[in-house]
Amino acid sequence: MNFEQMIGFGVAGNFAGHLEQAGEAADFTQIKTENAIQPKAIFPFYVPSEKAGFLSTFPLSHNQINFPQGADNLQIEPEIALICDLIYKGKQVEKIIPHYFAAYNDCSIRRPNAKKICEKKNWGTASKGISTKQIPLSSFIKGCEIDQYRIACFHKRNGEMNTYGIDSPAISYSYFHQQLLDWIVDRMNNQPDEGPMNHIASLLEQANYPEQTIISIGATRYTEFGETHFLQPNDLSIVIVYNGEKYSAEEIKTMARNEKFADDISALIQKVV
């Protein structure tokens, strides 16, 4: 799977309470939504085009995070990423078809003065993370494989492990299944270059209408530890997407402690360097 040819997007505000914990809710006060739980926007984190400025740098890694210069407030953002086909009708996106999902770290710098969401997301190579284990999806409708999965997140420093994100079921995303896909299609075609948002249609054009996309669909809530602790060099970030009907949270914690996971678990371990 060649991720470097796929355009990369994230969903902002798709998990109740995350933006408030991340100190980013104020960025979106001017954005009108149709209902209280609707996500706020989509943002680009990678655009496979030389014309895309800093977004043209491929930021994904499966084993490390490069610590950004001059930043001391770097946080893990534990998420699920969908690997999807993009179907176009003319120059508009008609349909998104997810084929795989994986553990994802939408690692972010808390930059209160950033004009766009994407400015907090891509600071060069290895500023994001995706697991090498992608789990196939037969569909993305209610009752499909992903509905049984949960997202867990841990942090290790000097051998001491703490729970960083609240262990959460995938189905607790605010928008999910077809509702999420339909909303993303609308944002790809209609989101304006306004406030913290980017004009997505022009980025798709810049990238010559890529056939595939990686979409990170939103970060879970932090534990108190996660909300108040930032990454430092030599830390380990661990994001795990696992079948909650097969494994208990305690079993997952033990695997994380040992840094060894069953083959059917999508795990992402990144060292901060």
mmCIF file with all atom_site columns, all heavy atoms in Angstrom, residues 15-36:
data_model
loop_
_atom_site.group_PDB
_atom_site.id
_atom_site.type_symbol
_atom_site.label_atom_id
_atom_site.label_alt_id
_atom_site.label_comp_id
_atom_site.label_asym_id
_atom_site.label_entity_id
_atom_site.label_seq_id
_atom_site.pdbx_PDB_ins_code
_atom_site.Cartn_x
_atom_site.Cartn_y
_atom_site.Cartn_z
_atom_site.occupancy
_atom_site.B_iso_or_equiv
_atom_site.pdbx_formal_charge
_atom_site.auth_seq_id
_atom_site.auth_comp_id
_atom_site.auth_asym_id
_atom_site.auth_atom_id
_atom_site.pdbx_PDB_model_num
ATOM 1   N N   . PHE A 1 15 ? -15.367 13.766 18.313 1.00 0.00 ? 15 PHE A N   1
ATOM 2   C CA  . PHE A 1 15 ? -15.465 13.003 19.556 1.00 0.00 ? 15 PHE A CA  1
ATOM 3   C C   . PHE A 1 15 ? -15.776 13.988 20.673 1.00 0.00 ? 15 PHE A C   1
ATOM 4   O O   . PHE A 1 15 ? -15.000 14.912 20.918 1.00 0.00 ? 15 PHE A O   1
ATOM 5   C CB  . PHE A 1 15 ? -14.142 12.274 19.846 1.00 0.00 ? 15 PHE A CB  1
ATOM 6   C CG  . PHE A 1 15 ? -14.323 10.910 20.427 1.00 0.00 ? 15 PHE A CG  1
ATOM 7   C CD1 . PHE A 1 15 ? -14.171 9.772  19.647 1.00 0.00 ? 15 PHE A CD1 1
ATOM 8   C CD2 . PHE A 1 15 ? -14.667 10.747 21.762 1.00 0.00 ? 15 PHE A CD2 1
ATOM 9   C CE1 . PHE A 1 15 ? -14.351 8.505  20.181 1.00 0.00 ? 15 PHE A CE1 1
ATOM 10  C CE2 . PHE A 1 15 ? -14.850 9.488  22.302 1.00 0.00 ? 15 PHE A CE2 1
ATOM 11  C CZ  . PHE A 1 15 ? -14.688 8.359  21.506 1.00 0.00 ? 15 PHE A CZ  1
ATOM 12  N N   . ALA A 1 16 ? -16.901 13.806 21.320 1.00 0.00 ? 16 ALA A N   1
ATOM 13  C CA  . ALA A 1 16 ? -17.373 14.783 22.314 1.00 0.00 ? 16 ALA A CA  1
ATOM 14  C C   . ALA A 1 16 ? -16.299 15.074 23.355 1.00 0.00 ? 16 ALA A C   1
ATOM 15  O O   . ALA A 1 16 ? -15.750 14.163 23.969 1.00 0.00 ? 16 ALA A O   1
ATOM 16  C CB  . ALA A 1 16 ? -18.630 14.255 22.999 1.00 0.00 ? 16 ALA A CB  1
ATOM 17  N N   . GLY A 1 17 ? -15.983 16.355 23.513 1.00 0.00 ? 17 GLY A N   1
ATOM 18  C CA  . GLY A 1 17 ? -15.085 16.783 24.582 1.00 0.00 ? 17 GLY A CA  1
ATOM 19  C C   . GLY A 1 17 ? -13.624 16.881 24.211 1.00 0.00 ? 17 GLY A C   1
ATOM 20  O O   . GLY A 1 17 ? -12.842 17.491 24.944 1.00 0.00 ? 17 GLY A O   1
ATOM 21  N N   . HIS A 1 18 ? -13.210 16.313 23.066 1.00 0.00 ? 18 HIS A N   1
ATOM 22  C CA  . HIS A 1 18 ? -11.775 16.317 22.754 1.00 0.00 ? 18 HIS A CA  1
ATOM 23  C C   . HIS A 1 18 ? -11.245 17.726 22.489 1.00 0.00 ? 18 HIS A C   1
ATOM 24  O O   . HIS A 1 18 ? -10.186 18.105 23.000 1.00 0.00 ? 18 HIS A O   1
ATOM 25  C CB  . HIS A 1 18 ? -11.453 15.420 21.552 1.00 0.00 ? 18 HIS A CB  1
ATOM 26  C CG  . HIS A 1 18 ? -10.029 15.579 21.094 1.00 0.00 ? 18 HIS A CG  1
ATOM 27  N ND1 . HIS A 1 18 ? -8.973  14.976 21.744 1.00 0.00 ? 18 HIS A ND1 1
ATOM 28  C CD2 . HIS A 1 18 ? -9.482  16.318 20.096 1.00 0.00 ? 18 HIS A CD2 1
ATOM 29  C CE1 . HIS A 1 18 ? -7.838  15.335 21.150 1.00 0.00 ? 18 HIS A CE1 1
ATOM 30  N NE2 . HIS A 1 18 ? -8.126  16.141 20.147 1.00 0.00 ? 18 HIS A NE2 1
ATOM 31  N N   . LEU A 1 19 ? -11.956 18.512 21.685 1.00 0.00 ? 19 LEU A N   1
ATOM 32  C CA  . LEU A 1 19 ? -11.454 19.852 21.349 1.00 0.00 ? 19 LEU A CA  1
ATOM 33  C C   . LEU A 1 19 ? -11.297 20.714 22.595 1.00 0.00 ? 19 LEU A C   1
ATOM 34  O O   . LEU A 1 19 ? -10.344 21.487 22.715 1.00 0.00 ? 19 LEU A O   1
ATOM 35  C CB  . LEU A 1 19 ? -12.392 20.543 20.348 1.00 0.00 ? 19 LEU A CB  1
ATOM 36  C CG  . LEU A 1 19 ? -12.394 20.003 18.915 1.00 0.00 ? 19 LEU A CG  1
ATOM 37  C CD1 . LEU A 1 19 ? -13.426 20.741 18.077 1.00 0.00 ? 19 LEU A CD1 1
ATOM 38  C CD2 . LEU A 1 19 ? -11.011 20.116 18.276 1.00 0.00 ? 19 LEU A CD2 1
ATOM 39  N N   . GLU A 1 20 ? -12.231 20.572 23.533 1.00 0.00 ? 20 GLU A N   1
ATOM 40  C CA  . GLU A 1 20 ? -12.147 21.339 24.776 1.00 0.00 ? 20 GLU A CA  1
ATOM 41  C C   . GLU A 1 20 ? -10.901 20.931 25.561 1.00 0.00 ? 20 GLU A C   1
ATOM 42  O O   . GLU A 1 20 ? -10.160 21.781 26.066 1.00 0.00 ? 20 GLU A O   1
ATOM 43  C CB  . GLU A 1 20 ? -13.406 21.111 25.625 1.00 0.00 ? 20 GLU A CB  1
ATOM 44  C CG  . GLU A 1 20 ? -14.671 21.777 25.079 1.00 0.00 ? 20 GLU A CG  1
ATOM 45  C CD  . GLU A 1 20 ? -15.281 21.029 23.885 1.00 0.00 ? 20 GLU A CD  1
ATOM 46  O OE1 . GLU A 1 20 ? -14.851 19.896 23.579 1.00 0.00 ? 20 GLU A OE1 1
ATOM 47  O OE2 . GLU A 1 20 ? -16.194 21.585 23.252 1.00 0.00 ? 20 GLU A OE2 1
ATOM 48  N N   . GLN A 1 21 ? -10.654 19.617 25.644 1.00 0.00 ? 21 GLN A N   1
ATOM 49  C CA  . GLN A 1 21 ? -9.469  19.149 26.368 1.00 0.00 ? 21 GLN A CA  1
ATOM 50  C C   . GLN A 1 21 ? -8.179  19.619 25.704 1.00 0.00 ? 21 GLN A C   1
ATOM 51  O O   . GLN A 1 21 ? -7.189  19.897 26.374 1.00 0.00 ? 21 GLN A O   1
ATOM 52  C CB  . GLN A 1 21 ? -9.469  17.620 26.430 1.00 0.00 ? 21 GLN A CB  1
ATOM 53  C CG  . GLN A 1 21 ? -10.474 17.037 27.401 1.00 0.00 ? 21 GLN A CG  1
ATOM 54  C CD  . GLN A 1 21 ? -10.274 15.535 27.519 1.00 0.00 ? 21 GLN A CD  1
ATOM 55  O OE1 . GLN A 1 21 ? -10.145 14.821 26.524 1.00 0.00 ? 21 GLN A OE1 1
ATOM 56  N NE2 . GLN A 1 21 ? -10.241 15.043 28.737 1.00 0.00 ? 21 GLN A NE2 1
ATOM 57  N N   . ALA A 1 22 ? -8.194  19.677 24.380 1.00 0.00 ? 22 ALA A N   1
ATOM 58  C CA  . ALA A 1 22 ? -6.994  20.067 23.632 1.00 0.00 ? 22 ALA A CA  1
ATOM 59  C C   . ALA A 1 22 ? -6.824  21.583 23.572 1.00 0.00 ? 22 ALA A C   1
ATOM 60  O O   . ALA A 1 22 ? -5.861  22.077 22.986 1.00 0.00 ? 22 ALA A O   1
ATOM 61  C CB  . ALA A 1 22 ? -7.062  19.492 22.215 1.00 0.00 ? 22 ALA A CB  1
ATOM 62  N N   . GLY A 1 23 ? -7.767  22.314 24.160 1.00 0.00 ? 23 GLY A N   1
ATOM 63  C CA  . GLY A 1 23 ? -7.685  23.771 24.153 1.00 0.00 ? 23 GLY A CA  1
ATOM 64  C C   . GLY A 1 23 ? -7.938  24.374 22.789 1.00 0.00 ? 23 GLY A C   1
ATOM 65  O O   . GLY A 1 23 ? -7.477  25.475 22.486 1.00 0.00 ? 23 GLY A O   1
ATOM 66  N N   . GLU A 1 24 ? -8.693  23.656 21.938 1.00 0.00 ? 24 GLU A N   1
ATOM 67  C CA  . GLU A 1 24 ? -8.877  24.110 20.559 1.00 0.00 ? 24 GLU A CA  1
ATOM 68  C C   . GLU A 1 24 ? -10.325 24.467 20.222 1.00 0.00 ? 24 GLU A C   1
ATOM 69  O O   . GLU A 1 24 ? -10.620 24.841 19.092 1.00 0.00 ? 24 GLU A O   1
ATOM 70  C CB  . GLU A 1 24 ? -8.363  23.032 19.589 1.00 0.00 ? 24 GLU A CB  1
ATOM 71  C CG  . GLU A 1 24 ? -6.857  22.842 19.715 1.00 0.00 ? 24 GLU A CG  1
ATOM 72  C CD  . GLU A 1 24 ? -6.281  21.841 18.737 1.00 0.00 ? 24 GLU A CD  1
ATOM 73  O OE1 . GLU A 1 24 ? -7.057  21.015 18.212 1.00 0.00 ? 24 GLU A OE1 1
ATOM 74  O OE2 . GLU A 1 24 ? -5.069  21.878 18.512 1.00 0.00 ? 24 GLU A OE2 1
ATOM 75  N N   . ALA A 1 25 ? -11.219 24.357 21.190 1.00 0.00 ? 25 ALA A N   1
ATOM 76  C CA  . ALA A 1 25 ? -12.632 24.638 20.900 1.00 0.00 ? 25 ALA A CA  1
ATOM 77  C C   . ALA A 1 25 ? -12.825 26.072 20.408 1.00 0.00 ? 25 ALA A C   1
ATOM 78  O O   . ALA A 1 25 ? -13.666 26.337 19.539 1.00 0.00 ? 25 ALA A O   1
ATOM 79  C CB  . ALA A 1 25 ? -13.481 24.373 22.138 1.00 0.00 ? 25 ALA A CB  1
ATOM 80  N N   . ALA A 1 26 ? -12.027 27.004 20.949 1.00 0.00 ? 26 ALA A N   1
ATOM 81  C CA  . ALA A 1 26 ? -12.176 28.422 20.574 1.00 0.00 ? 26 ALA A CA  1
ATOM 82  C C   . ALA A 1 26 ? -11.885 28.661 19.092 1.00 0.00 ? 26 ALA A C   1
ATOM 83  O O   . ALA A 1 26 ? -12.398 29.615 18.500 1.00 0.00 ? 26 ALA A O   1
ATOM 84  C CB  . ALA A 1 26 ? -11.256 29.286 21.433 1.00 0.00 ? 26 ALA A CB  1
ATOM 85  N N   . ASP A 1 27 ? -11.062 27.778 18.486 1.00 0.00 ? 27 ASP A N   1
ATOM 86  C CA  . ASP A 1 27 ? -10.736 27.939 17.062 1.00 0.00 ? 27 ASP A CA  1
ATOM 87  C C   . ASP A 1 27 ? -11.973 27.824 16.177 1.00 0.00 ? 27 ASP A C   1
ATOM 88  O O   . ASP A 1 27 ? -11.982 28.305 15.046 1.00 0.00 ? 27 ASP A O   1
ATOM 89  C CB  . ASP A 1 27 ? -9.729  26.859 16.614 1.00 0.00 ? 27 ASP A CB  1
ATOM 90  C CG  . ASP A 1 27 ? -8.377  27.001 17.297 1.00 0.00 ? 27 ASP A CG  1
ATOM 91  O OD1 . ASP A 1 27 ? -8.173  28.019 17.986 1.00 0.00 ? 27 ASP A OD1 1
ATOM 92  O OD2 . ASP A 1 27 ? -7.537  26.096 17.137 1.00 0.00 ? 27 ASP A OD2 1
ATOM 93  N N   . PHE A 1 28 ? -12.996 27.160 16.698 1.00 0.00 ? 28 PHE A N   1
ATOM 94  C CA  . PHE A 1 28 ? -14.135 26.799 15.844 1.00 0.00 ? 28 PHE A CA  1
ATOM 95  C C   . PHE A 1 28 ? -15.424 27.537 16.219 1.00 0.00 ? 28 PHE A C   1
ATOM 96  O O   . PHE A 1 28 ? -16.495 27.172 15.756 1.00 0.00 ? 28 PHE A O   1
ATOM 97  C CB  . PHE A 1 28 ? -14.369 25.283 15.921 1.00 0.00 ? 28 PHE A CB  1
ATOM 98  C CG  . PHE A 1 28 ? -13.194 24.484 15.442 1.00 0.00 ? 28 PHE A CG  1
ATOM 99  C CD1 . PHE A 1 28 ? -12.263 23.994 16.347 1.00 0.00 ? 28 PHE A CD1 1
ATOM 100 C CD2 . PHE A 1 28 ? -12.997 24.246 14.092 1.00 0.00 ? 28 PHE A CD2 1
ATOM 101 C CE1 . PHE A 1 28 ? -11.166 23.268 15.906 1.00 0.00 ? 28 PHE A CE1 1
ATOM 102 C CE2 . PHE A 1 28 ? -11.901 23.525 13.647 1.00 0.00 ? 28 PHE A CE2 1
ATOM 103 C CZ  . PHE A 1 28 ? -10.981 23.038 14.556 1.00 0.00 ? 28 PHE A CZ  1
ATOM 104 N N   . THR A 1 29 ? -15.304 28.576 17.030 1.00 0.00 ? 29 THR A N   1
ATOM 105 C CA  . THR A 1 29 ? -16.520 29.251 17.502 1.00 0.00 ? 29 THR A CA  1
ATOM 106 C C   . THR A 1 29 ? -17.308 29.895 16.356 1.00 0.00 ? 29 THR A C   1
ATOM 107 O O   . THR A 1 29 ? -18.523 30.044 16.446 1.00 0.00 ? 29 THR A O   1
ATOM 108 C CB  . THR A 1 29 ? -16.182 30.330 18.555 1.00 0.00 ? 29 THR A CB  1
ATOM 109 O OG1 . THR A 1 29 ? -15.139 31.156 18.038 1.00 0.00 ? 29 THR A OG1 1
ATOM 110 C CG2 . THR A 1 29 ? -15.747 29.703 19.866 1.00 0.00 ? 29 THR A CG2 1
ATOM 111 N N   . GLN A 1 30 ? -16.626 30.270 15.276 1.00 0.00 ? 30 GLN A N   1
ATOM 112 C CA  . GLN A 1 30 ? -17.314 30.930 14.160 1.00 0.00 ? 30 GLN A CA  1
ATOM 113 C C   . GLN A 1 30 ? -17.870 29.943 13.129 1.00 0.00 ? 30 GLN A C   1
ATOM 114 O O   . GLN A 1 30 ? -18.542 30.348 12.183 1.00 0.00 ? 30 GLN A O   1
ATOM 115 C CB  . GLN A 1 30 ? -16.352 31.901 13.449 1.00 0.00 ? 30 GLN A CB  1
ATOM 116 C CG  . GLN A 1 30 ? -15.769 32.980 14.353 1.00 0.00 ? 30 GLN A CG  1
ATOM 117 C CD  . GLN A 1 30 ? -16.835 33.813 15.036 1.00 0.00 ? 30 GLN A CD  1
ATOM 118 O OE1 . GLN A 1 30 ? -17.784 34.252 14.400 1.00 0.00 ? 30 GLN A OE1 1
ATOM 119 N NE2 . GLN A 1 30 ? -16.694 34.009 16.346 1.00 0.00 ? 30 GLN A NE2 1
ATOM 120 N N   . ILE A 1 31 ? -17.566 28.665 13.303 1.00 0.00 ? 31 ILE A N   1
ATOM 121 C CA  . ILE A 1 31 ? -18.007 27.676 12.311 1.00 0.00 ? 31 ILE A CA  1
ATOM 122 C C   . ILE A 1 31 ? -19.409 27.194 12.659 1.00 0.00 ? 31 ILE A C   1
ATOM 123 O O   . ILE A 1 31 ? -19.663 26.714 13.761 1.00 0.00 ? 31 ILE A O   1
ATOM 124 C CB  . ILE A 1 31 ? -17.016 26.494 12.240 1.00 0.00 ? 31 ILE A CB  1
ATOM 125 C CG1 . ILE A 1 31 ? -15.675 26.997 11.699 1.00 0.00 ? 31 ILE A CG1 1
ATOM 126 C CG2 . ILE A 1 31 ? -17.557 25.373 11.363 1.00 0.00 ? 31 ILE A CG2 1
ATOM 127 C CD1 . ILE A 1 31 ? -14.583 25.960 11.696 1.00 0.00 ? 31 ILE A CD1 1
ATOM 128 N N   . LYS A 1 32 ? -20.305 27.339 11.698 1.00 0.00 ? 32 LYS A N   1
ATOM 129 C CA  . LYS A 1 32 ? -21.694 26.929 11.920 1.00 0.00 ? 32 LYS A CA  1
ATOM 130 C C   . LYS A 1 32 ? -21.848 25.444 11.601 1.00 0.00 ? 32 LYS A C   1
ATOM 131 O O   . LYS A 1 32 ? -21.395 24.973 10.560 1.00 0.00 ? 32 LYS A O   1
ATOM 132 C CB  . LYS A 1 32 ? -22.628 27.752 11.031 1.00 0.00 ? 32 LYS A CB  1
ATOM 133 C CG  . LYS A 1 32 ? -22.695 29.215 11.449 1.00 0.00 ? 32 LYS A CG  1
ATOM 134 C CD  . LYS A 1 32 ? -23.507 30.034 10.475 1.00 0.00 ? 32 LYS A CD  1
ATOM 135 C CE  . LYS A 1 32 ? -23.490 31.502 10.891 1.00 0.00 ? 32 LYS A CE  1
ATOM 136 N NZ  . LYS A 1 32 ? -23.906 32.387 9.825  1.00 0.00 ? 32 LYS A NZ  1
ATOM 137 N N   . THR A 1 33 ? -22.488 24.727 12.504 1.00 0.00 ? 33 THR A N   1
ATOM 138 C CA  . THR A 1 33 ? -22.783 23.314 12.266 1.00 0.00 ? 33 THR A CA  1
ATOM 139 C C   . THR A 1 33 ? -24.294 23.119 12.320 1.00 0.00 ? 33 THR A C   1
ATOM 140 O O   . THR A 1 33 ? -25.020 23.912 12.916 1.00 0.00 ? 33 THR A O   1
ATOM 141 C CB  . THR A 1 33 ? -22.108 22.416 13.323 1.00 0.00 ? 33 THR A CB  1
ATOM 142 O OG1 . THR A 1 33 ? -22.484 22.873 14.628 1.00 0.00 ? 33 THR A OG1 1
ATOM 143 C CG2 . THR A 1 33 ? -20.591 22.461 13.199 1.00 0.00 ? 33 THR A CG2 1
ATOM 144 N N   . GLU A 1 34 ? -24.744 22.039 11.692 1.00 0.00 ? 34 GLU A N   1
ATOM 145 C CA  . GLU A 1 34 ? -26.188 21.786 11.617 1.00 0.00 ? 34 GLU A CA  1
ATOM 146 C C   . GLU A 1 34 ? -26.749 21.254 12.928 1.00 0.00 ? 34 GLU A C   1
ATOM 147 O O   . GLU A 1 34 ? -27.935 21.365 13.200 1.00 0.00 ? 34 GLU A O   1
ATOM 148 C CB  . GLU A 1 34 ? -26.478 20.794 10.485 1.00 0.00 ? 34 GLU A CB  1
ATOM 149 C CG  . GLU A 1 34 ? -26.252 21.392 9.100  1.00 0.00 ? 34 GLU A CG  1
ATOM 150 C CD  . GLU A 1 34 ? -26.477 20.378 7.996  1.00 0.00 ? 34 GLU A CD  1
ATOM 151 O OE1 . GLU A 1 34 ? -26.953 19.262 8.298  1.00 0.00 ? 34 GLU A OE1 1
ATOM 152 O OE2 . GLU A 1 34 ? -26.180 20.703 6.838  1.00 0.00 ? 34 GLU A OE2 1
ATOM 153 N N   . ASN A 1 35 ? -25.884 20.637 13.733 1.00 0.00 ? 35 ASN A N   1
ATOM 154 C CA  . ASN A 1 35 ? -26.329 20.126 15.027 1.00 0.00 ? 35 ASN A CA  1
ATOM 155 C C   . ASN A 1 35 ? -25.144 20.106 15.986 1.00 0.00 ? 35 ASN A C   1
ATOM 156 O O   . ASN A 1 35 ? -23.995 20.292 15.575 1.00 0.00 ? 35 ASN A O   1
ATOM 157 C CB  . ASN A 1 35 ? -26.956 18.733 14.884 1.00 0.00 ? 35 ASN A CB  1
ATOM 158 C CG  . ASN A 1 35 ? -25.992 17.741 14.254 1.00 0.00 ? 35 ASN A CG  1
ATOM 159 O OD1 . ASN A 1 35 ? -24.968 17.410 14.837 1.00 0.00 ? 35 ASN A OD1 1
ATOM 160 N ND2 . ASN A 1 35 ? -26.311 17.276 13.051 1.00 0.00 ? 35 ASN A ND2 1
ATOM 161 N N   . ALA A 1 36 ? -25.415 19.863 17.245 1.00 0.00 ? 36 ALA A N   1
ATOM 162 C CA  . ALA A 1 36 ? -24.388 19.991 18.289 1.00 0.00 ? 36 ALA A CA  1
ATOM 163 C C   . ALA A 1 36 ? -23.269 18.966 18.160 1.00 0.00 ? 36 ALA A C   1
ATOM 164 O O   . ALA A 1 36 ? -22.141 19.225 18.584 1.00 0.00 ? 36 ALA A O   1
ATOM 165 C CB  . ALA A 1 36 ? -25.045 19.872 19.663 1.00 0.00 ? 36 ALA A CB  1
#
